């Protein structure tokens, strides 16, 4: 997270801050982290602010609409049918999921078009998903980055009597899954997809996850442009080989939110934009007032250096940001009591059930509640079976994290 400029002598850079502390780069103030008093429930729990959630969903959909691209938001961020339906109602054409068991939850709920953005290399991995796809008439597309993957997808599709659209996964810089755009094997693999029984070549798909490590906001546009140019160049080479490229799909919240959407792109698949988090704040693609997700915890102990909260790595995760690219600490801490307390602290370290917050001589009282804005919201909500939706009218509802256990 960004370094804060302390203008009040009593405040320590390592601990407490107050409303006259301002982020020197973005203009973010401590007051922008403050929210109404949290609902009285056993702690720790995840709270999602409905007003900010709705605002974030609408803002990204408006960006997509203005650029003429289709939205297939990544539901691995929230794993929630309630939120996915909000995204569809706002204009999304379908969803993106990670694992087959995660996609199954949304297929069984009637989502009509799903992109499974994960490499399948064993045909049996789809044995639970494909019957639901066939029964519900779901349009399923997935990715391949190897001959092994293409053969496994073809075997699964043929066995279950379905057609699967398959994107070539292209590695545009993250170094995780995919062929490089200039890899001479890429056209051959696309031809293999196009000729495989049960499969249809769907186009090119990439994830510029290295954007989460961008050193400054201006770098995001460069990453987005390079991604689009690389994919467009590969698409042209494929067309010269007689292969139709119907779709170019990209997806990463930093490039989709922090840079103009390139004209070469047909689909975008951002996920984190619905909640945002400390990493998004560090990248400069949002303000603290946009953060829709927090972990509500309680102060359970205090010592000379820290006050201790009941949210540790089993609540927050130990992730410092997407792909491990984050800032210092594990989250930003404010009071959740709605009592006028304007302190701003950093969650410095974690054990499994405890969080350590340096207080710089100003600890919060035992029993008081805090709100922690995590570095990585996707990893935090995945630790909970339910989340609390805080509504604008002051009421709150408990909703399931429907696909929380979708890890296979």
């Amino acid at each position: 997270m960004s370094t804060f400029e302390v203008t009040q002598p009593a405040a320590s850079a390592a601990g407490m801050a107050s409303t006259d502390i301002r982020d020197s780069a973005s203009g973010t103030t401590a007051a922008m982290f403050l929210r109404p008093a949290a609902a009285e429930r056993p702690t720790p729990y995840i709270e999602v602010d409905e007003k900010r959630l709705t605002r974030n969903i609408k803002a990204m959909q408006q960006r997509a609409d203005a650029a003429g691209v289709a939205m297939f938001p990544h539901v691995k961020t929230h794993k929630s049918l309630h939120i996915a339906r909000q995204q569809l109602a706002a204009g999304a054409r379908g969803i993106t999921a990670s694992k087959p068991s995660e996609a199954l939850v949304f297929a069984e709920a009637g989502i009509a078009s799903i992109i499974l953005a994960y490499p399948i290399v064993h045909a049996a991995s789809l044995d639970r998903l494909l019957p639901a796809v066939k029964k519900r008439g779901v349009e399923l597309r997935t990715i391949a980055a190897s001959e092994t993957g293409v053969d496994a997808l073809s075997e699964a599709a043929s066995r279950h009597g379905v057609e699967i659209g398959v994107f070539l996964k292209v590695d545009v810089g993250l170094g995780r899954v995919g062929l490089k755009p200039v890899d001479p094997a890429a056209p051959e693999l696309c031809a293999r997809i196009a000729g495989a029984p049960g499969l249809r070549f769907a186009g090119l798909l990439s994830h510029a996850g290295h954007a989460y490590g961008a050193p400054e906001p201006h770098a995001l546009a460069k990453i987005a442009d390079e991604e689009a140019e690389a994919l467009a160049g590969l698409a042209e080479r494929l067309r010269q080989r007689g292969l139709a490229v119907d779709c170019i799909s990209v997806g990463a919240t930093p490039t989709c939110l922090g840079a103009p959407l390139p004209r070469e792109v047909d689909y975008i698949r951002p996920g984190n934009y619905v909640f945002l988090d400390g990493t998004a704040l560090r990248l400069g693609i949002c303000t603290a007032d946009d953060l829709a997700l927090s972990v509500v915890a309680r102060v359970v102990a205090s010592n000379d250096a820290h006050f201790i909260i009941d949210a540790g790595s089993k609540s927050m995760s130990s992730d410092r940001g997407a792909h491990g690219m984050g800032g210092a600490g594990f989250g930003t801490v404010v009071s959740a009591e709605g009592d006028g307390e304007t302190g701003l602290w950093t969650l410095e370290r974690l054990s499994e059930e405890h969080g350590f917050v340096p207080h710089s001589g100003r600890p919060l009282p035992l029993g008081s509640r805090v709100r922690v804005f995590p570095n990585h919201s996707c990893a935090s909500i995945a630790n909970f079976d339910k989340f609390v939706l805080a509504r604008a009218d002051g009421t709150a509802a408990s909703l399931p994290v429907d696909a929380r256990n979708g890890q296979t």
Side-chain angles (χ1 to χ4, degrees), residues 33-302:
F33 287 97
L34 300 180
R35 306 288 186 265
E40 271 293 356
R41 295 173 185 265
T43 56
Y45 68 85
I46 287 276
E47 182 181 280
V48 174
D49 185 297
E50 185 177 49
K51 179 181 71 174
R52 289 173 172 83
L53 172 73
T54 301
R55 190 170 74 200
N56 293 343
I57 289 172
K58 288 182 176 178
M60 184 63 86
Q61 186 63 54
Q62 287 169 358
R63 283 180 62 81
D65 292 345
V69 301
M71 274 279 287
F72 279 78
H74 210 314
V75 297
K76 59 90 181 174
T77 291
H78 53 74
K79 296 176 178 281
S80 161
L81 291 171
H82 175 82
I83 296 176
R85 287 170 178 144
Q86 282 190 275
Q87 292 171 306
L88 292 166
R93 294 266 298 278
I95 64 162
T96 302
S98 287
K99 299 294 187 67
S101 57
E102 183 177 272
L104 178 61
V105 173
F106 295 89
E108 289 181 333
I111 305 286
S113 185
I114 299 174
I115 296 173
L116 183 65
Y118 203 86
I120 301 299
V121 295
H122 184 53
S125 299
L126 295 176
D127 280 347
R128 291 183 60 214
L129 175 60
L130 293 187
V133 165
K134 185 174 183 178
K135 179 180 178 180
R136 298 273 185 171
V138 174
E139 177 190 33
L140 179 67
R141 285 169 287 183
T142 187
I143 65 170
S146 66
E147 291 184 358
T148 299
V150 174
D151 294 347
L153 290 169
S154 179
E155 178 186 339
S158 299
R159 184 162 70 233
H160 291 279
V162 299
E163 181 184 78
I164 302 175
V166 181
F167 292 96
L168 176 72
K169 179 64 188 294
V170 183
D171 177 13
V172 293
L174 180 59
R176 187 174 63 181
V177 176
L179 274 64
K180 298 292 185 183
V182 295
D183 191 326
E188 301 303 324
L189 192 59
C190 293
R192 190 181 185 96
I193 295 169
L199 306 185
R200 174 179 58 83
F201 179 55
L204 305 176
L205 181 147
S206 65
H207 171 62
H210 54 300
Y212 282 97
E216 58 180 357
H218 295 300
L220 296 173
K222 183 175 185 291
I223 292 171
D225 288 343
E226 289 174 349
E227 177 184 32
E229 290 173 9
L231 293 174
L234 176 55
E236 181 57 31
R237 291 193 294 277
L238 294 175
R239 292 182 181 116
Q240 291 172 2
R241 289 274 303 261
L243 284 167
V245 182
D246 295 331
C247 178
I248 292 177
S249 173
V250 302
T253 290
T255 50
C256 290
L257 190 58
L261 296 175
R263 52 183 170 76
E264 297 92 341
V265 167
D266 303 296
Y267 290 2
I268 58 172
R269 310 179 323 279
N272 182 263
Y273 76 96
V274 295
F275 295 146
L276 299 168
D277 52 25
T279 302
L281 194 60
R282 175 184 61 79
L283 288 170
I285 60 174
C286 72
T287 70
D289 188 55
D290 298 317
L291 305 181
L293 179 144
S294 58
V295 176
V296 178
R298 195 176 298 274
V299 179
V300 295
S302 184

Side-chain angles (χ1 to χ4, degrees), residues 1-5 13 21-28 33 215 217 278-286 326-328 332 344 346 375:
M1 189 165 294
S2 302
T3 301
F4 285 87
E5 229 173 54
I21 295 177
R22 181 175 295 273
D23 182 289
S24 57
S26 69
T28 297
F33 287 97
T279 302
L281 194 60
R282 175 184 61 79
L283 288 170
I285 60 174
C286 72
T332 298
L344 183 72
T346 296
N375 280 342

Side-chain angles (χ1 to χ4, degrees), residues 5-18 20-21 344 360 362:
E5 229 173 54
V6 183
T7 58
Q8 185 174 343
S12 165
M16 187 274 294
S18 60
D20 60 352
I21 295 177
L344 183 72
S360 300
R362 188 184 172 187

